[in-house]
Amino acid sequence: MSTEHVDEIMAMAPFSLMDESRFPSQTPLRDILLNDTRIVQYQPGEVIYKQGDYGNSAFFVIDGDVRSILPPGIDEETLGRRKGKSKSLVKTFTQFLDLSPFPESRRLADYEKARNPLFQQQEYAGTTHLLIQDFPAVVSQHNTATIQPGTFFGEIAALNRSPRPTTVMAHQHGARLLEIRWQGLRELLRSDTSLKEAIDQRYRTEALIPFLRTLNEFSDLSDDALKHIAEATDFVTYGDYDWSGQYKRFLSQAELDKVKEPTILKEGDYANGVAIVRAGFARISEAFGKRRKTLKYMGAGQIYGMDEIRHNANDPQSTTPYIHTMTAVGYAHILLIPSTIIEQYVLNKAVNKSKPEATSSLVHELEGSSLTMSPAQARKAKAAKSKPDKSISTEEATPVPSDLLEFFAELRFLNGTRTMIINLDHCTRCDDCVRACAATHGNNPRFVRHGPTHNRFMVANACMHCQDPVCMLGCPTGAIHRSEQGGQVVINDLTCIGCASCANNCPYDSIRMVEIRDKKGNAVRAPDGQPINKATKCDLCIEQPGGPSCQRACPHDALRRVNMSDLEQISDWL
Amino acid sequence: MAKSTRIFLILALLGLAAFVFAHYRATTNLGAPARISGWTLLGSCVFLFLYNTRKKLPAPPLGTSRQWLNLHLIVGVLALVFFLFHINFRVPNGAFEVILGLVFLFIFLSGVLGIGISRGFARRLRTHGQEVVYEQIPVLRKGVAERADSLMLESTESNKSTVVMDYYTATLRPFFKKPMHYWAHLFDSRRPLAQLQHGIQDLRRYTDDSENEYLNQLEELVEIKNGLDYHYALQRTLKAWLFLHIPLSLALLILTALHLILVLSFNGGAS
């Protein structure tokens, strides 16, 4: 961005309406625009992002014609994603006849065959651009919505680190967009209340209410109750979205214990609300000796503070403060709902289901309230601090030993939904798992049976199919994506351009770049003589009907792919 | 115990009861009990051999390797029972039958040994040295040996004394160069390491503080190398026993086929 560009943007609403004096001196509005945004020119038919992509930037339409292809949208295969079909039973037997003696060999005809008739890839300005060849036909075949100049889009997915809900493309005459990194967007929201309110309102209606509906505690509430809860909810992001870079840096220096974890709720503080993890991770801990002992960690959809509020509502004479401390691990996007709202709507569900309107006047009084304490609450808090009642908490019932939890949290393995854990007391190092993996991936193992160990457990170097898949941020062709069936993170080899952005982003080094060969073992080269690289990783044997072959090949039940959010499952196996 | 294992055990017990009953009836009714035990034994052996085929086919949904191993162990024990019934609880007659019987017993014992070391060595590997991949041990060993060499050269140069180097060249250099104390490690003996540490300790009588610093580092390298040797010995044995068990199983199948041909050819029309 040049200063001329900044001037141009500053002349447009809503930037022209922003009060520059409200921005802190260290991050003035103009500096945010200068450092955290860029102007991008999109050609007619060019894809801005695809449905299901992960991205950490939002867009603002400066001018031009931008269309969002509404659900159901373009099908997965046409979007350049991998076919999710399982192999037939016969194919599972015969695939071994096709194993190549050469590493990473490919049938080159497959690339030709897979050439996407809808998309065309173009390289310019050092990046890969995707253009929809016959975009008028696409627009006419799908339901689309026009995104008007002067509006933002993509901000909710960027702030939530959630998949883009639709495919967005430039239409007819192309478009000029302002791309804003999430850091810049966060700064804008901090200092400009009108923009924050507008985005917050969209967030509440488009994302928050549907999200609350997925939680057990809120699923059976009436629409009105959910609306009131959403209106009273504060959302705060703790930690750093770019946690993976910081994690890698500290890991390389063996100083992971120096990574700071911002406090969300503090042990001993008055329990004036619940915290729900919307995205990212949080750790629940209690004071132990001179440090803290991890009791559990939480991922998306998990709630802390409900026990305390329930107890205080049932027994107002002996209130208890927060029993544990909740901190953000890496980053955590947290929803904070005041205790009064919880008591009103969640702990009193029967009333809300039958008479949602009866409570509305009270709720209106509470609107806009945050977790700031009133003097009365502060008095209560002071009294409560002297008598925390740990017996009411369910956190201590966590079935996994605390030291193992510390290990998982410190090395950020809690991000995994299919983490490969090996029990070294049972593992005979026979490598049947590695051989099985190789046999199901054209003789190329997709993991290394080695990794950090704690006590008898090793977390092997295999893709964990993370909840927060940082590898997917910035893939120019969308080759790395979540599968539609099981949510596994997979790479479409046919559309991967070998840029290595996924491999560089992965905090766990679970993605490997390989030079491909043809079936005769010759290295495949681009017209400029450079070897062609592809990103490879564990795909959880998505095409095999039996599931992950590594786990099924272990004769001693020493290897499991576990969901790190499911501590019960881990405990059962332990 | 896993549910599938419980089911396998119940089925195995039912199968065994059926076999004993059929064998008893054939014996008391002047039938051919050897045929019943023989065919059952052959079926068991073929099934046992199929486990290796399952390992070669990891993709088809044929059940997990864990389930196959459990079945393999149960059927293996049953096969021994069928075998004992087949030879009538006596030493077989004739050289061929004796060889056949010995091969069977040898396979059974190698299986027992294999399962024993699989259970025991895994835990021991975790508690000794650093976790290493077997194929990387030679590279790691070479690295440790090079570090020891350069450490000793540095010690000689900086201390202007060859006492440590002389001891190193005579005693420790061969230790660093190749895998050592294979059997001691298999039997979990700490004696060889203690001897090496004792030798270094003895040497300290003749060294000053500066040389002792180098000896401390050398002692650490000795422990690392000992850990590598430990892993090498145990991991090698864990892999090697299968090279006994599987080829012998193949030999047994061939010998059994010959035995079957002989029996069917020379049964003289007996039914």
Side-chain angles (χ1 to χ4, degrees):
Chain A
M1 284 286 278
S2 64
T3 46
E4 289 76 27
H5 285 139
V6 173
D7 290 339
E8 183 193 346
I9 299 298
M10 285 298 292
M12 297 178 71
F15 299 98
S16 58
L17 304 172
M18 289 179 184
D19 181 357
E20 287 190 58
S21 65
R22 293 182 70 95
F23 285 77
S25 57
Q26 63 273 27
T27 50
L29 174 58
R30 284 176 168 274
D31 276 11
I32 295 171
L33 293 175
L34 198 65
N35 299 318
D36 288 325
T37 68
R38 61 174 183 162
I39 292 176
V40 191
Q41 177 70 50
Y42 287 89
Q43 298 176 43
E46 186 169 350
V47 176
I48 297 161
Y49 54 68
K50 294 195 279 187
Q51 184 178 342
D53 280 357
Y54 279 72
N56 51 7
S57 54
F59 297 86
F60 173 78
V61 185
I62 301 171
D63 53 49
D65 188 359
V66 179
R67 295 291 177 95
S68 169
I69 300 167
L70 300 175
I74 305 169
D75 69 86
E76 286 284 295
E77 202 182 335
T78 315
L79 283 174
R81 302 209 165 113
R82 196 160 144 173
K83 272 190 234 172
K85 273 193 211 158
S86 254
K87 284 182 175 162
S88 68
L89 191 62
V90 175
K91 186 76 183 162
T92 61
F93 281 97
T94 56
Q95 63 183 317
F96 304 103
L97 304 173
D98 194 29
L99 290 182
S100 166
F102 307 107
E104 303 298 346
S105 76
R106 308 283 198 275
R107 198 178 285 110
L108 300 184
D110 289 348
Y111 293 99
E112 282 302 315
K113 231 188 284 174
R115 208 169 276 274
N116 196 326
L118 188 64
F119 290 104
Q120 184 197 344
Q121 279 182 20
Q122 280 188 7
E123 297 276 338
Y124 59 85
T127 50
T128 303
H129 299 255
L130 284 180
L131 280 96
I132 296 181
Q133 307 241 31
D134 187 9
F135 63 89
V138 170
V139 170
S140 64
Q141 284 162 12
H142 296 87
N143 290 327
T144 62
T146 303
I147 303 173
Q148 301 291 345
T151 49
F152 284 92
F153 66 93
E155 75 283 2
I156 290 175
L159 289 171
N160 269 337
R161 195 101 119 203
S162 55
R164 306 281 194 191
T166 58
T167 298
V168 178
M169 57 177 276
H171 195 228
Q172 296 282 340
H173 309 293
R176 217 155 66 96
L177 305 182
L178 180 73
E179 184 176 359
I180 310 167
R181 297 197 303 159
W182 73 267
Q183 294 95 329
L185 186 64
R186 188 179 59 178
E187 294 305 322
L188 289 178
L189 297 180
R190 268 188 197 155
S191 305
D192 187 74
T193 43
S194 57
L195 181 66
K196 181 175 174 8
E197 273 168 22
I199 289 180
D200 281 1
Q201 195 49 44
R202 254 171 80 179
Y203 178 77
R204 283 178 216 279
T205 49
E206 289 177 19
L208 184 55
I209 293 177
F211 172 72
L212 289 176
R213 241 183 251 290
T214 64
L215 307 178
N216 280 341
E217 286 79 356
F218 300 87
S219 59
D220 52 355
L221 293 182
S222 67
D223 290 349
D224 261 10
L226 280 176
K227 197 174 155 211
H228 290 306
I229 293 172
E231 279 168 6
T233 301
D234 265 354
F235 10 90
V236 189
T237 299
Y238 294 87
D240 188 353
Y241 260 17
D242 291 337
W243 64 270
S244 58
Q246 191 191 40
Y247 164 79
K248 273 182 159 177
R249 200 168 53 251
F250 280 105
L251 184 67
S252 65
Q253 295 160 1
E255 290 179 334
L256 274 177
D257 56 332
K258 288 189 180 165
V259 178
K260 287 205 172 105
E261 292 186 6
T263 303
I264 301 165
L265 299 175
K266 199 173 168 197
E267 182 178 344
D269 277 1
Y270 179 67
N272 51 357
V274 297
I276 305 174
V277 183
R278 173 72 178 90
F281 299 95
R283 186 201 301 256
I284 302 296
S285 62
E286 66 178 4
F288 187 77
K290 290 183 179 171
R291 305 192 79 170
R292 305 203 64 79
K293 184 176 174 183
T294 301
L295 299 173
K296 68 183 278 190
Y297 45 77
M298 299 173 118
Q302 290 184 287
I303 305 174
Y304 179 71
M306 199 63 97
D307 290 339
E308 288 88 338
I309 288 172
R310 188 174 286 117
H311 170 86
N312 295 348
N314 290 340
D315 187 2
Q317 299 309 312
S318 66
T319 56
T320 186
Y322 290 120
I323 294 163
H324 307 298
T325 292
M326 182 184 196
T327 50
V329 182
Y331 94 98
H333 186 60
I334 300 290
L335 308 175
L336 298 164
I337 307 178
S339 54
T340 41
I341 295 291
I342 293 293
E343 284 170 24
Q344 196 72 37
Y345 292 105
V346 181
L347 303 182
N348 199 9
K349 278 181 184 172
V351 175
N352 290 301
K353 273 195 254 182
S354 54
K355 296 179 193 169
E357 289 79 17
T359 55
S360 59
S361 61
L362 177 62
V363 172
H364 282 297
E365 282 172 31
L366 297 164
E367 266 177 22
S369 71
S370 68
L371 299 185
T372 343
M373 276 191 259
S374 66
Q377 284 175 325
R379 274 197 303 279
K380 268 189 183 177
K382 200 176 169 191
K385 273 196 176 188
S386 58
K387 44 182 177 180
D389 182 4
K390 296 213 169 193
S391 64
I392 66 155
S393 169
T394 53
E395 310 302 346
E396 278 157 319
T398 182
V400 177
S402 175
D403 59 326
L404 197 56
L405 287 179
E406 305 276 9
F407 169 68
F408 291 154
E410 186 173 273
L411 290 168
R412 304 290 185 267
F413 294 136
L414 42 77
N415 198 358
T417 63
R418 304 283 198 287
T419 306
M420 183 188 286
I421 300 186
I422 298 176
N423 183 342
L424 295 174
D425 276 358
H426 293 170
C427 173
T428 61
R429 285 73 168 173
C430 65
D431 279 332
D432 277 359
C433 50
V434 182
R435 271 190 290 275
C437 180
T440 43
H441 295 91
N443 251 350
N444 305 293
R446 295 296 183 220
F447 75 96
V448 181
R449 187 187 53 76
H450 200 64
T453 57
H454 176 79
N455 207 345
R456 64 192 162 114
F457 298 104
M458 172 193 279
V459 177
N461 188 217
C463 174
M464 307 195 300
H465 302 269
C466 295
Q467 269 191 43
D468 179 26
V470 280
C471 57
M472 285 167 63
L473 297 170
C475 174
T477 62
I480 186 162
H481 60 278
R482 277 202 192 280
S483 83
E484 265 189 324
Q485 303 101 311
Q488 303 93 329
V489 179
V490 291
I491 297 172
N492 185 354
D493 190 71
L494 302 173
T495 52
C496 170
I497 56 166
C499 66
S501 80
C502 54
N504 294 332
N505 281 347
C506 174
Y508 311 101
D509 290 329
S510 298
I511 301 179
R512 283 185 175 70
M513 302 306 298
V514 296
E515 289 181 11
I516 60 165
R517 296 161 189 272
D518 63 18
K519 285 287 174 188
K520 290 178 183 164
N522 303 313
V524 181
R525 296 189 180 276
D528 63 357
Q530 292 294 310
I532 290 184
N533 291 325
K534 295 281 176 185
T536 62
K537 66 172 207 63
C538 159
D539 61 359
L540 221 65
C541 295
I542 189 169
E543 290 174 349
Q544 309 295 343
S549 56
C550 52
Q551 181 175 305
R552 292 188 307 117
C554 181
H556 305 285
D557 198 22
L559 184 155
R560 283 283 177 99
R561 306 301 297 252
V562 297
N563 181 353
M564 303 301 279
S565 303
D566 190 351
L567 295 179
E568 294 288 339
Q569 183 203 7
I570 299 174
S571 165
D572 285 349
W573 179 55
L574 302 187
Chain B
M1 193 187 289
K3 192 180 167 191
S4 59
T5 312
R6 281 202 299 272
I7 293 169
F8 295 155
L9 275 175
I10 291 166
L11 289 176
L13 286 173
L14 290 174
L16 181 63
F19 166 78
V20 172
F21 178 70
H23 193 274
Y24 174 76
R25 276 198 60 167
T27 310
T28 51
N29 293 343
L30 297 176
R35 279 195 176 189
I36 291 172
S37 58
W39 284 111
T40 317
L41 183 57
L42 178 64
S44 308
C45 288
V46 170
F47 178 80
L48 290 169
F49 196 77
L50 281 178
Y51 179 37
N52 194 39
T53 315
R54 156 67 185 84
K55 283 191 168 191
K56 299 270 184 291
L57 293 169
L62 299 171
T64 65
S65 187
R66 165 80 170 163
Q67 290 166 337
W68 274 84
L69 177 64
N70 284 342
L71 268 176
H72 188 79
L73 298 179
I74 293 167
V75 176
V77 173
L78 287 182
L80 180 70
V81 177
F82 301 148
F83 172 75
L84 293 174
F85 271 91
H86 193 59
I87 60 170
N88 236 345
F89 298 90
R90 286 197 304 245
V91 177
N93 297 323
F96 181 76
E97 271 69 25
V98 169
I99 291 169
L100 188 61
L102 282 176
V103 170
F104 178 88
L105 281 179
F106 215 62
I107 294 168
F108 183 83
L109 291 176
S110 69
V112 172
L113 173 78
I115 205 72
I117 62 171
S118 295
R119 299 277 192 266
F121 282 11
R123 196 159 290 147
R124 279 172 53 191
L125 279 170
R126 177 172 70 83
T127 51
H128 283 75
Q130 280 224 315
E131 185 60 37
V132 285
V133 175
Y134 178 74
E135 287 75 14
Q136 287 177 352
I137 291 176
V139 180
L140 295 170
R141 186 170 54 230
K142 195 170 171 228
V144 173
E146 283 170 1
R147 274 165 65 195
D149 273 353
S150 59
L151 185 74
M152 288 301 97
L153 281 173
E154 199 184 308
S155 163
T156 310
E157 276 175 25
S158 66
N159 295 305
K160 310 287 180 217
S161 161
T162 60
V163 174
V164 176
M165 182 55 124
D166 290 344
Y167 175 77
Y168 171 73
T169 312
T171 318
L172 290 177
R173 205 152 189 274
F175 165 76
F176 280 110
K177 285 292 165 199
K178 56 181 184 179
M180 297 286 276
H181 313 130
Y182 189 92
W183 291 101
H185 289 315
L186 283 191
F187 290 100
D188 213 8
S189 164
R190 293 185 64 83
R191 202 168 166 185
L193 175 66
Q195 276 177 344
L196 291 171
Q197 287 170 329
H198 186 72
I200 293 173
Q201 211 55 40
D202 271 355
L203 201 63
R204 288 179 195 269
R205 287 181 199 158
Y206 315 107
T207 54
D208 60 13
D209 287 351
S210 167
E211 285 171 306
N212 283 344
E213 280 298 311
Y214 284 99
L215 282 179
N216 290 345
Q217 290 181 50
L218 188 64
E219 211 167 345
E220 277 175 28
L221 290 177
V222 166
E223 279 182 34
I224 293 171
K225 166 65 170 45
N226 187 66
L228 287 175
D229 286 349
Y230 191 89
H231 271 257
Y232 177 78
L234 268 65
Q235 290 200 39
R236 189 182 161 90
T237 309
L238 279 166
K239 290 178 196 298
W241 78 269
L242 279 171
F243 287 97
L244 192 70
H245 192 68
I246 296 173
L248 276 175
S249 306
L250 193 61
L252 179 74
L253 281 187
I254 295 165
L255 289 175
T256 307
L258 277 174
H259 172 72
L260 194 63
I261 292 166
L262 288 173
V263 170
L264 293 177
S265 306
F266 296 99
N267 70 352
S271 57

